[in-house]
């Protein structure tokens, strides 16, 4: 079993893991440190093939969780009642052979019992922090991958880790063993029969039906195994960025371990031609934790030209039927153009705005078709027997019926009717966004037909609409989204037509401040720094708070060196009258905090009016403002004594209502 050791200095609030070859500096705070050494074997762990070794990649992350006496733990070292937690580390800043990761979580220091640590790479394979079925965790291997010229797609590399020792209490150093549970395959395709000017878009490997190459799997952290849950028997790599040399191409694949008894290789080119070779009677093992190398000679491959065509080269219905009878594999993935004359208009689906109709003496069905550019039909009268159409969609045979599948669209139409299409347009004065309480939006419709216009709202809990002659009135009544449709019916002279738009209705919006890497303007690792945080366009300026170089989703103020005052100030005056302000305090050393007060002012330089004092306790604390006034600046002031430790107050959220 090939392995890497992780060494961890378990101290307090943050897990860190460092790079050596190219150093990645840890935080200056107390840390738990997991250090990933270069392996003894080139193809052991690590995540990026360099040509002669595998190393950690820029952007790599891991997940760490642990048990105490066999019970999975949460961030504070408490039993989680069926909700084990795994925490994502920071990303590596650059490739390196010895890596240092930082986890923005704290492991409880006084928990006694047998401690065992578990890890997963890459972090992105877990979509949720909570994993109720641990040690079994659900992951997926993508069936479409993006390798580089020299390495596999590291997003699909999967490693499972476990500490080599059990610890009676929180240790000062942890050594971990990591096992790769996927197979790397480096396959060279030779003698590819490309024509002049052809390039390769993708290469697909398809094994026998029961094989599990990609798809959904369950990984067992105790057994270090990967078991198929809902697998796919193929993998495709996109290779447009790779260069073909002498009609040969080397490509990397990542799959679950499997034994191939047959393989179908499909190379797709820039003109949608497929170059296919089938290999039977195999017994080829693709093993985990090794570089499986293989050369496949494509000289005997067959070429399948694309069935794709254009409006000008549209298939007749008889040609489309012959193509369906050929059972061409491209039928399920390729849209084509078919031309014909409407012989029956069968049915209208009001929910989807689609019509099912038949072409050329009812020999070919167009099922659930839409109008031009995918727009909805308004009724059966929108199509007329005798109309000549060109339709685009996918072909299939349903029972004994030859047809074009649903969601097809009419590309062009030559009508057999004397009707014409009227113009129907809405003015720029129609609004696509309103607020509750806004005046009604009134506008006139420009319509050239002779039918009676109607108007509707898809969600009358959001907006009500009426129309008199050509004047539309829209009234906002609730928060949400609705589609406003203005329609004209078919008449003896004009086709039916309609136009629509989406209206968003909002109410008064709270101003919410959040913290973390996606909100903070920069990382700060001291308790005397400053930065800003922006959420949905609302910005606060932060002074004398630490965000641990953006690895926390909260901020801390107060330190053990000096007394200090931390402040959080709105960057601009708030446009609405604020009636209350709430702060979420995750932790507080109340004996070392003098006060937390809210101030307001008419300008950024005059925020001096005291509005109230927050309770010095963990949880959501609120100050209600006695006289709410619009267009005021606000500042929250955290007055802290010199503490016995850093981080006297932890704040994760502020809401101005």
């Amino acid at each position: 079993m090939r392995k890497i050791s992780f060494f961890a200095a378990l101290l307090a609030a943050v897990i860190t893991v460092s790079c050596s070859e190219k150093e990645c500096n840890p935080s200056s705070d107390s840390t738990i440190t997991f250090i990933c050494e270069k392996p003894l074997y080139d193809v052991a762990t690590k995540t990026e093939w360099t040509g002669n070794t595998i190393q950690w990649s820029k952007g790599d992350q891991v997940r760490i969780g642990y048990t105490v006496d066999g019970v999975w733990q949460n961030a504070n070292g408490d039993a989680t009642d069926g909700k084990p937690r795994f925490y994502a580390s920071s990303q590596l800043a650059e490739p390196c052979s010895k890596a240092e990761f930082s986890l923005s979580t704290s492991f409880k220091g006084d928990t006694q019992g047998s401690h065992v640590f578990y890890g997963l790479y890459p972090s992105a394979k877990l979509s949720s922090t909570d994993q109720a079925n641990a040690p079994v965790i659900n992951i997926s291997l993508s069936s479409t991958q993006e390798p580089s010229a020299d390495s596999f797609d590291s997003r699909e590399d999967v490693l499972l880790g476990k500490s080599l020792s059990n610890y009676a209490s929180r240790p000062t150093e942890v050594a971990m063993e990591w096992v790769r549970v996927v197979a790397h395959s480096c396959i060279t395709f030779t003698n590819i029969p490309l024509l002049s000017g052809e390039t390769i878009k993708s290469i697909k490997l398809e094994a026998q039906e029961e094989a599990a190459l990609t798809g959904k799997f369950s990984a067992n952290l105790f057994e270090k195994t990967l078991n198929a849950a809902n697998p796919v028997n193929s993998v495709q790599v996109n290779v447009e960025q790779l260069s073909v040399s002498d009609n040969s191409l080397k490509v990397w694949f990542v799959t679950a371990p499997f034994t191939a008894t047959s393989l179908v290789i499909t190379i797709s080119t820039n003109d949608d031609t497929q170059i296919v070779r089938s290999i039977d009677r195999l017994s080829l093992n693709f093993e985990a934790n090794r570089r499986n190398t293989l050369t496949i000679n494509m000289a005997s491959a067959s070429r399948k030209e694309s069935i794709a065509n254009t409006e000008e080269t549209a298939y007749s219905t008889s040609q489309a039927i012959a193509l369906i009878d050929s059972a061409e594999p491209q039928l399920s993935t390729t849209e084509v153009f078919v031309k014909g004359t409407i012989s029956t208009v069968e049915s209208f689906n009001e929910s989807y705005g689609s019509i099912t109709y038949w072409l050329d003496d009812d020999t070919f069905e167009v099922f659930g078709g839409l109008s031009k550019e995918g727009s909805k039909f308004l009724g059966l009268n929108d199509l007329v027997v005798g109309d000549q159409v060109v339709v685009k969609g996918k072909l299939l045979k349903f029972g004994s019926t030859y047809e074009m599948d649903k969601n097809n669209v009419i590309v062009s139409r030559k009508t057999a009717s004397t009707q014409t299409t009227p113009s129907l347009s809405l003015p720029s004065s129609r609004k696509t966004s309103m607020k509750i309480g806004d005046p009604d939006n009134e506008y006139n419709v420009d319509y050239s037909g002779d039918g009676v216009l109607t108007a509707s709202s898809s969600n009358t809990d959001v907006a009500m609409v009426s129309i008199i002659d050509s004047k539309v009135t829209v009234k906002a009544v609730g928060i949400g989204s609705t589609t406003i449709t203005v329609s004209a019916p078919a008449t003896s002279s004009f086709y039916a037509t309609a136009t629509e738009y989406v209206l968003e209705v909002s109410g008064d919006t709270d101003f919410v401040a959040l913290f973390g890497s996606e909100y903070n303007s920069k990382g700060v690792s001291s308790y005397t720094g400053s930065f800003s945080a922006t959420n949905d366009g609302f910005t606060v300026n932060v002074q004398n708070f630490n965000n641990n170089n953006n690895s926390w989703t909260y901020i801390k103020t107060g330190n053990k060196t000096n007394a200090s005052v931390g402040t959080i100030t709105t960057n601009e005056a708030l446009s609405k009258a604020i009636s209350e302000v709430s702060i979420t305090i995750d932790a507080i050393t109340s004996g070392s905090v003098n006060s937390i007060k809210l101030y307001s002012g008419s300008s950024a330089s005059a925020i001096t009016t005291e509005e109230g004092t927050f309770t010095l306790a963990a949880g959501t604390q609120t100050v209600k403002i006695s006289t709410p006034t619009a267009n005021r600046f606000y500042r929250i002031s955290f007055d802290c004594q010199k503490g016995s430790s850093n981080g006297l107050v932890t704040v994760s959220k502020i809401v101005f209502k």
Side-chain angles (χ1 to χ4, degrees):
M1 186 177 291
R2 298 172 181 175
K3 61 189 180 184
I4 304 180
S5 292
F6 279 62
F7 297 97
L10 296 172
L11 298 176
V14 181
I15 302 183
T16 2
V17 190
S18 76
C19 270
S20 114
E21 250 187 35
K22 294 184 179 178
E23 285 297 328
C24 303
N25 295 325
S27 165
S28 60
D29 283 48
S30 297
T31 59
I32 302 178
T33 305
F34 289 77
I35 302 176
C36 311
E37 300 284 358
K38 184 174 180 178
L40 296 176
Y41 303 96
D42 284 343
V43 292
T45 34
K46 303 302 176 71
T47 65
E48 178 183 309
W49 178 253
T50 65
N52 30 71
T53 188
I54 301 180
Q55 66 179 8
W56 293 97
S57 306
K58 178 180 179 180
D60 274 353
Q61 291 178 284
V62 296
R63 294 257 184 173
I64 297 290
Y66 73 112
T67 62
V68 176
D69 289 335
V71 179
W72 289 94
Q73 307 294 298
N74 65 17
N76 298 317
D78 303 323
T80 55
D81 296 327
K83 290 186 178 179
R85 290 195 169 183
F86 290 78
Y87 291 89
S89 72
S90 59
Q91 296 181 344
L92 290 182
E94 57 187 348
C96 45
S97 290
K98 189 168 82 173
E100 174 175 311
F101 300 97
S102 295
L103 301 184
S104 57
T105 184
S106 57
F107 291 143
K108 195 171 182 180
D110 56 359
T111 303
Q112 298 298 309
S114 177
H115 287 57
V116 183
F117 293 83
Y118 296 89
L120 168 71
Y121 172 87
S123 170
K125 287 298 179 187
L126 281 188
S127 59
S128 172
T129 299
D130 293 338
Q131 292 292 312
N133 296 319
V136 176
I137 56 178
N138 297 323
I139 65 171
S140 62
L141 293 177
S142 176
S143 57
T144 303
Q145 300 175 8
E146 303 279 350
S148 66
D150 302 314
S151 185
F152 45 85
D153 188 336
S154 62
R155 295 171 299 183
E156 304 308 318
D157 200 18
V158 179
L159 314 177
L160 304 180
K162 179 185 177 183
S163 55
L164 287 171
S165 302
N166 298 353
Y167 304 94
S169 60
R170 190 176 67 183
T172 58
E173 188 172 87
V174 172
M176 293 186 73
E177 180 179 67
W178 287 78
V179 174
R180 171 173 281 109
V181 292
V182 295
H184 293 165
S185 300
C186 182
I187 302 178
T188 301
F189 299 92
T190 62
N191 298 312
I192 303 171
L194 294 172
L195 301 181
S196 176
E198 273 189 328
T199 58
I200 299 176
K201 292 198 303 184
S202 65
I203 300 180
K204 180 180 180 180
L205 292 184
E206 183 176 355
Q208 65 277 11
E209 185 176 356
E210 67 274 13
L213 279 66
T214 55
K216 295 182 179 180
F217 295 82
S218 58
N220 191 310
L221 292 168
F222 287 174
E223 299 174 0
K224 297 179 181 174
T225 56
L226 197 63
N227 300 301
N230 187 12
V232 177
N233 69 329
S234 64
V235 58
Q236 176 177 300
V237 291
N238 296 328
V239 297
E240 288 179 289
Q241 76 281 13
L242 305 185
S243 299
V244 177
S245 177
D246 295 327
N247 282 33
S248 296
L249 181 63
K250 182 177 72 174
V251 181
W252 288 81
F253 300 82
V254 179
T255 65
F258 74 102
T259 298
T261 59
S262 68
L263 279 178
V264 177
I265 300 97
T266 303
I267 297 177
S268 297
T269 70
N270 58 313
D271 60 1
D272 293 324
T273 295
Q274 294 183 338
I275 300 171
V276 181
R277 183 186 175 192
S278 298
I279 307 173
D280 298 320
R281 297 184 297 277
L282 283 175
S283 181
L284 187 61
N285 292 325
F286 291 81
E287 298 180 6
N289 201 34
R290 83 177 266 188
R291 181 163 58 104
N292 301 277
T293 57
L294 181 66
T295 298
I296 298 178
N297 189 336
M298 297 295 291
S300 62
S302 61
R303 291 176 58 88
K304 293 186 177 181
E305 305 299 329
S306 173
I307 65 172
N309 59 353
T310 66
E311 180 182 353
E312 291 73 22
T313 60
Y315 297 120
S316 66
T317 53
S318 59
Q319 289 173 322
I321 290 170
L323 188 57
I324 293 172
D325 282 338
S326 74
E328 166 59 53
Q330 297 178 60
L331 289 173
S332 63
T333 58
T334 305
E335 291 187 330
V336 299
F337 295 85
V338 175
K339 61 185 177 182
T341 301
I342 296 177
S343 52
T344 298
V345 182
E346 181 176 286
S347 61
F348 172 66
N349 186 313
E350 187 174 359
S351 297
Y352 296 100
S354 62
I355 296 178
T356 295
Y357 54 100
W358 293 77
L359 302 180
D360 297 346
D361 297 323
D362 294 356
T363 58
F364 186 86
E365 182 183 40
V366 181
F367 178 76
L370 298 172
S371 189
K372 288 187 176 182
E373 299 180 351
S375 61
K376 295 179 180 180
F377 289 113
L378 298 179
L380 281 177
N381 290 336
D382 284 1
L383 291 179
V384 177
V385 172
D387 285 356
Q388 297 176 11
V389 294
V390 176
V391 191
K392 182 181 181 182
K394 294 178 181 177
L395 302 178
L396 60 80
K397 188 175 184 180
F398 186 77
S400 60
T401 301
Y402 296 93
E403 67 178 48
M404 182 168 282
D405 201 5
K406 63 184 178 182
N407 296 325
N408 60 81
V409 298
I410 289 179
V411 177
S412 64
R413 173 185 174 194
K414 183 178 180 181
T415 182
S417 168
T418 59
Q419 294 169 302
T420 59
T421 301
S423 63
L424 176 63
S425 61
L426 305 181
S428 59
S429 58
R430 66 108 170 90
K431 295 181 178 179
T432 57
S433 62
M434 297 177 68
K435 289 185 177 181
I436 297 173
D438 280 355
D440 294 347
N441 181 209
E442 297 180 344
Y443 56 85
N444 289 310
V445 178
D446 183 8
Y447 172 55
S448 65
D450 56 10
V452 177
L453 294 172
T454 59
S456 63
S457 169
S458 64
N459 189 343
T460 55
D461 290 332
V462 173
M464 305 289 289
V465 61
S466 62
I467 185 169
I468 299 176
D469 294 330
S470 62
K471 184 177 182 180
V472 176
T473 302
V474 180
K475 183 179 184 65
V477 295
I479 296 172
S481 176
T482 186
T483 299
I484 304 296
T485 304
V486 179
S487 307
T491 67
S492 59
S493 300
F494 296 96
Y495 290 117
T497 188
T499 186
E500 62 184 31
Y501 62 96
V502 175
L503 172 65
E504 301 285 347
V505 178
S506 60
D508 282 340
T509 303
D510 294 337
F511 297 90
V512 180
L514 298 173
F515 309 97
S517 58
E518 64 180 294
Y519 307 107
N520 300 340
S521 62
K522 66 179 181 179
V524 171
S525 60
S526 72
Y527 289 86
T528 58
S530 62
F531 59 97
S532 62
T534 301
N535 174 39
D536 287 340
F538 170 57
T539 300
V540 293
N541 299 316
V542 183
Q543 180 71 38
N544 292 338
F545 276 78
N546 188 355
N547 62 33
N548 197 26
N549 283 323
N550 279 339
S551 65
W552 291 340
T553 56
Y554 46 81
I555 56 177
K556 295 183 178 184
T557 190
N559 62 80
K560 62 184 179 181
T561 304
N562 300 297
S564 63
V565 176
T567 60
I568 302 174
T569 307
T570 59
N571 187 59
E572 296 178 349
L574 303 189
S575 57
K576 75 172 186 176
I578 301 300
S579 60
E580 66 179 58
V581 177
S582 298
I583 59 175
T584 300
I585 299 176
D586 299 284
I588 184 170
T589 307
S590 56
S592 298
V593 180
N594 296 324
S595 65
I596 304 176
K597 293 186 176 183
L598 174 67
Y599 296 90
S600 72
S602 58
S603 67
S605 60
I607 307 176
T608 57
T609 301
E610 184 175 331
E611 300 287 2
T613 301
F614 295 92
T615 302
L616 301 180
T620 300
Q621 308 301 336
T622 301
V623 166
K624 294 188 178 296
I625 298 175
S626 58
T627 307
T629 306
N631 299 313
R632 301 279 288 178
F633 288 81
Y634 293 89
R635 175 175 294 141
I636 303 173
S637 176
F638 300 75
D639 187 356
C640 300
Q641 304 169 21
K642 175 182 176 181
S644 59
S645 63
N646 290 328
L648 303 178
V649 185
T650 302
V651 177
S652 59
K653 183 179 181 180
I654 304 173
V655 180
F656 297 82
K657 293 185 178 181

